[in-house]
Every structure is written in C-alpha cells, then in structure tokens.
Amino acid sequence: MLTPLGRLDKYAASENVFNRQMVARSLLDTLREVCDDERDCIAVLERISRLADDSEPTVRAELMEQVPHIALFCQENRPAIPYAFSKYLLPIVVRYLADQNNQVRKTSQAALLALLEQELIERFDVETKVCPVLVELTAPDSNDDVKTEAVAIMCKMAPMVGKDITERLILPRFCEMCCDCRMFHVRKVCAANFGDICSVVGQQATEEMLLPRFFQLCSDNVWGVRKACAECFMAVSCATCQEIRRTKLSALFINLISDPSRWVRQAAFQSLGPFISTFANPSSSGQYFKEENKSSEDTSVEDKNRTRDEEVPEDAQIRPEDVPADPTVSNSSVKLEGAPDPDIGTESPRKPPGDSSLPCPLSSEPHQEAASNEDDKKPGTCRSASRLEVGSSAQDSAPLDQELYNSFHFWRTPLPEIDLDVELEQGPGNKLVPEGLEGMPEATSPASANITVATRQELEEMIENLEPHIDDPDVKAQVDVLAAALRASSLDACDEVSEAARRAPQDELPGCRLDHGTSGPLTSEAVENMESALRYIHDDSDSGTSGGFSPDEERRAKVQDVVPQALLDQYLSMTDPSRAQTVDTEIAKHCAYSLPGVALTLGRQNWHCLRETYETLASDMQWKVRRTLAFSIHELAVILGDQLTAADLVPIFNGFLKDLDEVRIGVLKHLHDFLKLLHIDKRREYLYQLQEFLVTDNSRNWRFRAELAEQLILLLELYSPRDIYDYLRPIALNLCADKVSSVRWISYKLVGEMVRKLHRAAPPTFGVDLIRELVESFGRCPRWSGRQAFVFVCQTVIEDECLPMDQFAVHLMPHLLTLANDRVPNVRVLLAKTLRQTLLEKEYFLTSASCHQEAVEQTIMALQMDRDSDVKYFASIHPASTKISEDAMSTASSTY
C-alpha cells in the first residue's frame, strides 16, 4: 500500500544491509514510476545522495553500479529533471574515487569511464569537477593506491576528453608522475599509458614535453617500467616526426632490445616489427601508383622524385620488376651514369644521381664523387662518350643463350656496382695498351670502381677507429658497410684490362663500343643483351650463397635506407635459434606475425632483405610459426606484386598446402585471395590440388570442409566453365553428401552458384549436364538423405534465383515433384515446405496459368492428404515461424 517514495524511505532506513542493497538496485525502477512528476524525481535523487553516505561498502558499491543507468535515464528525460546528473550524481562518482574501500573505488572508476564514453558528462563538469579531483588525488601526499589508480584514470579518460583538456589539465601532472621517485607503480602506469597520451596531445607536445620523460622511463631502474615502455613504443613512435623516429627513438629501442632483463627484451622484440612499420611511407612501399594509368612523363617524374628523396644503398641493383612495365614508357631512354650528354661534349660533368630516370642508380654516389674529383686533377684523363639508350625501337625478343652475361662485361658476380661504359685510366707518360687492344680507343676505368690509395687508407683508418666499439649494433653495421666498400675499391685496373684483352674477341658486346668522339643509340641486339644482363643480375642475386657471396657481402646485400639498419638487423636475427633460448621461445612467431608490415615498410624493391628470413620462418619446426605465415601469405602477395609472388611465395604456398591441418587452414581461408593474384596459367595448376583439401588429419574436423565450400564459391569467378565442370563439380557434389549438416548447407549454396555460372555460359551445355548429374546422383539416390539433399539444392536454386523460373520448371521441377510419393516422411515434409514457402511465392507461379502451375497445385493437394501428420501440416498452411534454413540444421541425417 506504500507509494514508491514511501517504500524507498522505509527500506533505505532499515538496519538490514540487504534491504539497503535492494533499495540501491531498485532506484532506476522507482525513477521510472515517478518520472511524470518532477518533484518526485528530485525527491528520489535527494534520497540517492543520502544513500551515498551509507557506512556499508557493499551498499555504496551497489549504488555506484546503478549510477550509469540512472544517468542515462536522466539524460533521456532531461526536460523533466534538468541538471539532475550534474547536481546529484556526478559529485557521488567523484567522491567515491577516493573511497577507502577498494571495491567502491574500482566501481566508481568504471562508472566514470562509462559516463565519459557515453558522453553523459558535460565538458564544463569535466574541467571543473572531475579533473581537479584527479589532480588532487595524484598529489605527492596522496595515498599510494589512490594515486596509482588516479593516474590510470587520467590516462584512460584522455582520449575521451580530447586534446585541449588533456594538454591543459592532465599533461602537466602526467609529466610529474613520470618522474615519481618514490613509487615505481606510478611510473609503470605512466609508461603503460604513454602511447595513449601521445596520440591525444599530438606531435608537438609529444616531442617537447613527453619525449624527455619517455627517455627517462626507458632507462628506469625497475624492469617492469622499461618493459611497459617497450610495449607502447609503436604508439609513441607514431606521434613523432620521421627525423626523431630515426635518430633518437631507434637508438633508444636498440637499448631496450639489449636490456639485461629477459622480460624487457621479450617485450622489445614483440614490438620491433610494429615499430619498424612506423617508418613506412608510400614512396618506399611501392603501393601508391598504378603503372597502367601513368604516362611516360608522370612515371619519369615520379622515379626522379623517389630517387631524389631516398638515399639508395651502395649495393642497390636494378631488378626487372623495379623498371616500369608500362608500354607508354618505351619512348623514354635509359641512360647509364657516367655517360655524358652528346650536346655538351666529352668534357661535360656527369649528371647527378638524382637526374637518373631509373629507380636506382647503377653506381654508388660516394664512389662517384671520389673518382670524379680524382679525374679532374689529371690532365690526361679523357671520358668515354658512349651513350647507352633504350629507345622505342627495342624489341622484346628473348636473348640467345650464348649472349648471356659473362665475366668480361661484369667482371665478377659479387661486385654490386655495375657500369657498362668501361673506362681505362691513362696517366701522363704511362700508357697502358695491352696486346690485342692497340686498335681500340683509349679509355679510363669506371669512376665508381676506382678510389685513390688515400681514400682506401681513410677507409682503413675509419674501420680501425670503429673496431673498439664493435659491440654496438649501429657501429657494427657501419663497419660492415665500410669493409665492403674497401673490398670493392681494391680492384686493379691493370688486371681488368688484361682480362678485357683476353676476352675481347669473343665477348665483346655487339653494338656497344668505347669511342671518344661519337655516341649513338643501341641496336636492338644490344638492347637484348642489356636486358639479359639485367635479368642475370636479378637471378644471381636470388641464388644466395650458392652464387659465391661471402658472409660480409651477404650482409651488405641486406642494407637499405628505409629504416635504420640496426633495427632491421635485429629483426632479421629473430629467426636465430639462440634467440629462442635467451629471449622468448615464441620469438619466431612474433617475427612471422609482423613480417607483412615490415615488408610493406621496406617496399618490394627491398624484398631481398627479407627473403631469406621468410624462407627460414616458412621451414620453422614450430607449426604455429608456419600457421602465422599461412594466414598472411595473401597479404604479402599483394605487397610484393605478381612477379615476386610467383618467384618467391608460390613455392612456399605449395609447401603449406601439404602441411598440417593447422597450417593448411590458414592457406584455405584465403585461397581465393591468393590465387586471384596469380597468372591464369599458374592458377590452373592448383585445380588438381583442390581435391586434397577433402582429406584431413582428423575426419571430425568438419569446419575445414565447410571453409573449403566457402572458398569454392569465391573461386567460381576465377575459372572457366570447363574447369568448373571438370574439377570443382566433383568436389561440390562430394561435399553435398557430407556427414555434417553445416557442411552440406554451404555446399547446397555452392552447387546453386555453380548452376548459375554454368547456365549463363555460352553454350550452357555444362549447366545442363550438371543438372542431369544432380538428378541422377541425388534426385534418384537410393538413400533418403541423398533425395533430401536434392530438395535442398532445388530450394537454394529457387531462393537465390540461380535459374530463371521457366528453366527451373523444365529441368528440375518435374524430378522434384516426383518426390511427393517418397516413402520417407522427412523427404516429403521438406518437399511440402519448399513448394508452399518458396516455390509458390515466386511471381512466375503466381501469375502464369501454365501446366507447371497446375502440376505444383496437384502435388500440394496430394501432400495435404498425406498419411503423415507433419506432411499434411506443412502442405496445408504457411507457418511463418518455420524457415527452410532452420530445417537444414534440424532435419539432418546426422549432426555432430
């Protein structure tokens, strides 16, 4: 007999704790009962304020759990109870943040975040009521637990309140808490949330105020703080500019990777791949332009800009896939560095590397400058005037085997600097003219291959100075590069000339000669030889150590300029077996997980840096590592392009197809995504292997077969009607007879889509043959489950309109109606549902008065008089609650 307010007052004053808890739980219902009266609503809110002073923690915690729901109600009824939340509820939430009971504090923190997330707190209240309290709770004299929790709340609410409030009210205190010398728990919370704060305040505040604190936290005495820094490193890197990321954060991250604590090293290696991915930019990833949509002028400008903006490593080689394949660029000539412009003369200076129209210069820039300076000092030096051009007259015919690469053209395989305009040095009074070359013009040695003795001595001194610091990964990478440059500079010009004299008669490049006064375009035969040389470079670089590379030269081949080399070296070392013992047994899995992101960052032109690592991961003993690669191989194929995919990923993809089911499922889930990237001829080779997916290690692994059916639906668009009928049709019919109903139901959709595709083909003979096989294999199957499957296929064809209704009436409906006399009630029940709920709803059978409609009506009338009650029920009425798709699961012959 009590009113809602009377009942509330009675139980709120009870000495029984459970009664007061019940009052807290029923506050929202009470508000809904009195929402029409503003005074009663205010009275309820006032009683909430009194209930918040309850001495029992469980009552206060229960009340705080209801506050977000009450606040939402107040927001929806704002005209009736204005400012209710700000005046009555928010002070309770803020006060409970400092409650002595841990459960009450946790509940209030969750309530505050929920209110902020739903935007139920006004901006003014956040600035005047919430933030000042949090700042006060983080004061030096505050309780340790409260301070730690308050810092965590400040960090979590920063993304919700925005940049302005965070910079003015939260950021100063956050910076102070990062330097809290007394409690490492506070510093650990700051480190764990550092990335969120950086992403909110932006680049300028991060670099000016937060980065110094971050450097301190990364060198904290407590390993837990350093570990938290390693985990958020990617988010911090995203909030900084490229220069700071490269010069400061890279060195800082290297320190974390070599941290004395194994837990810190483990977290750092897990974040290494994501950190490397922050160096990505479109000009290096190669994902920003389509060659087929570019004119020759646009392509040339883009290539020049890319070369100008990026430093090309000394070991860069032109690879066939790096040269634009667009036919519109055939008119632009390709000039090798060192070839002077014929309009200026033989004494004109060389064109700078940035002016080259190729993606990568053929020779290294430092060597060029040293050699050019030396040449300028010698009066007897003369330059070659030969100009190698690839014009529109170049033919695409393949070169002959005997005209392939040889040691005279490019003296030895490991040499990375390639120059075709060979020059022989000639000093005053010292003329080198070997036998057999008296009739040839004099020339100088290539500038990129000649470094003076003084320059070599400088390199040796630099190496000696760096050797005491060889433990530093950055220093070690510099020593490797300098050592490789020193070896490349030690070529003797006299030996090269002797080699040229010995091989000149049989190895001379046709159409490519050394001349002082003339220059001209290459003939088509010379162009073929040049293209074959480029292909040889690419093939030889892929051969690894078998091509004669020393370990130092192999390391040099992995040098690039997209990310700091020390970071890449550490990432490549994650496949080292010793890392699994000293860092983490799952380190190879983390490497595999982040490899597509690293590959996208480096770009396809630097894939050679990752190829060996990828092959090592693909053959790892742990199936989890191979499974990770299998799930991402389609994404890597998009990054690398069709040529590198066919050369490097297809063999690994083939290996995954024969792996464990745990690995094969990764390939299967993205089978369509990978195969669509291959050439049509290569794609057809996999038609023979699709049948193998029906065989699994465990026959109960029905999800594997269900995924196969899903992928086959997508694969229909990649193959011709002949291939679909010859290879995919047997698999689809096999899956339609699977033991598990979920697999069968997807297979019915597969067969329906197959009927659609084959029927639309010209001529539709394959479609007619498929329908005939469906009738023979399922419509007249001696087992009732096969005949039931035939009804399901027909129902799918009708629902998805895989066939025009007139064609369905001719090819499938006569065989479908004969099942009205089937001896198994399950078949007749499904037939009644299909005819009543699906077929008769089609406009073709509603409007046309044909013999087909009459046959359907006679069949339904026969089913209405069936001896089975269920058949009569579904044939007589149209049950709205019963769906065919639900019956696919419920009327299965057997289901796991």
Side-chain angles (χ1 to χ4, degrees), residues 644-875:
L644 290 174
T645 296
D648 298 330
L649 297 189
V650 167
I652 294 175
F653 182 82
N654 294 337
F656 288 157
L657 291 178
K658 303 174 184 178
D659 213 312
L660 300 175
D661 286 351
E662 290 80 1
V663 179
R664 295 168 70 202
I665 188 63
V667 174
L668 181 59
K669 276 185 174 293
H670 303 285
L671 186 63
H672 167 263
D673 297 329
F674 185 83
L675 293 185
K676 72 179 181 182
L677 302 174
L678 303 181
H679 190 269
I680 185 171
D681 294 334
K682 191 68 178 179
R683 191 187 305 153
R684 290 192 75 254
E685 296 179 6
Y686 291 95
L687 286 170
Y688 308 95
Q689 305 182 43
L690 293 177
Q691 191 81 20
E692 299 176 3
F693 282 111
L694 293 174
V695 181
T696 56
D697 299 337
N698 183 1
S699 60
R700 290 181 174 269
N701 189 7
W702 60 269
R703 291 181 178 84
F704 199 92
R705 301 190 296 276
E707 185 61 42
L708 174 60
E710 295 276 9
Q711 288 296 314
L712 289 179
I713 295 176
L714 301 175
L715 289 177
L716 293 177
E717 67 180 24
L718 301 181
Y719 293 104
S720 64
R722 164 68 70 180
D723 291 335
I724 293 174
Y725 185 81
D726 291 344
Y727 298 100
L728 303 187
R729 172 189 53 84
I731 303 177
L733 298 182
N734 191 316
L735 292 173
C736 285
D738 197 89
K739 294 180 179 180
V740 181
S741 62
S742 298
V743 179
R744 294 197 303 272
W745 185 241
I746 301 174
S747 303
Y748 302 149
K749 295 184 178 296
L750 169 61
V751 173
E753 293 298 323
M754 201 172 289
V755 169
R756 184 203 307 271
K757 171 116 182 184
L758 295 181
H759 181 76
R760 292 180 178 177
T765 54
F766 294 117
V768 175
D769 293 341
L770 175 59
I771 292 174
R772 185 181 300 114
E773 185 168 0
L774 285 173
V775 173
E776 294 295 332
S777 301
F778 294 97
R780 300 171 183 171
C781 179
R783 300 186 59 181
W784 72 270
S785 59
R787 300 192 298 275
Q788 185 188 57
F790 178 75
V791 180
F792 273 126
V793 171
C794 291
Q795 182 264 336
T796 302
V797 171
I798 298 170
E799 277 191 344
D800 299 342
E801 297 183 354
C802 301
L803 276 178
M805 284 298 100
D806 56 341
Q807 297 293 322
F808 175 83
V810 172
H811 296 292
L812 282 175
M813 197 176 72
H815 307 286
L816 180 65
L817 298 182
T818 58
L819 296 178
N821 300 321
D822 197 278
R823 62 181 181 275
V824 179
N826 297 56
V827 178
R828 302 198 303 275
V829 166
L830 185 58
L831 176 62
K833 290 180 181 180
T834 302
L835 296 179
R836 172 63 71 176
Q837 299 178 15
T838 306
L839 190 64
L840 289 183
E841 291 185 353
K842 295 298 177 182
E843 185 178 359
Y844 178 82
F845 292 96
L846 292 176
T847 58
S848 63
S850 61
C851 60
H852 303 303
Q853 183 183 15
E854 183 180 351
V856 173
E857 293 176 352
Q858 291 178 357
T859 303
I860 291 179
M861 290 178 61
L863 293 173
Q864 289 174 352
M865 296 182 292
D866 195 275
R867 60 183 180 274
D868 188 89
S869 59
D870 292 333
V871 176
K872 289 192 292 185
Y873 173 77
F874 287 106

Side-chain angles (χ1 to χ4, degrees), residues 32 195 271 394 417 451-452 461 465 479 494 502 529 659 687 778 798 855 869:
R32 285 173 177 159
S271 301
E417 295 83 6
I451 297 181
T452 61
E461 292 177 359
N465 294 335
V479 171
C494 296
R502 190 165 56 253
N529 289 333
D659 213 312
L687 286 170
F778 294 97
I798 298 170
S869 59

Side-chain angles (χ1 to χ4, degrees), residues 58-78:
T58 56
V59 176
R60 301 197 302 273
E62 186 67 44
L63 172 63
M64 192 50 55
E65 288 182 0
Q66 303 300 320
V67 164
H69 306 291
I70 298 174
L72 184 60
F73 176 83
C74 294
Q75 181 72 18
E76 294 173 351
N77 297 269
R78 191 179 183 87

Side-chain angles (χ1 to χ4, degrees), residues 150-192:
V151 172
I153 289 295
M154 291 171 59
C155 297
K156 292 178 181 178
M157 64 181 286
M160 303 177 190
V161 300
K163 178 180 179 180
D164 180 56
I165 294 179
T166 301
E167 283 187 338
R168 288 190 293 107
L169 304 177
I170 296 179
L171 186 58
R173 181 50 60 94
F174 178 81
C175 293
E176 294 178 12
M177 293 298 98
C178 291
C179 303
D180 191 305
C181 300
R182 191 168 61 89
M183 288 192 60
F184 79 91
H185 295 286
V186 175
R187 301 197 304 274
K188 184 177 179 181
V189 171
C190 291

Side-chain angles (χ1 to χ4, degrees), residues 90 226 259 533 779:
L90 184 58
R226 303 195 302 273
D259 195 271

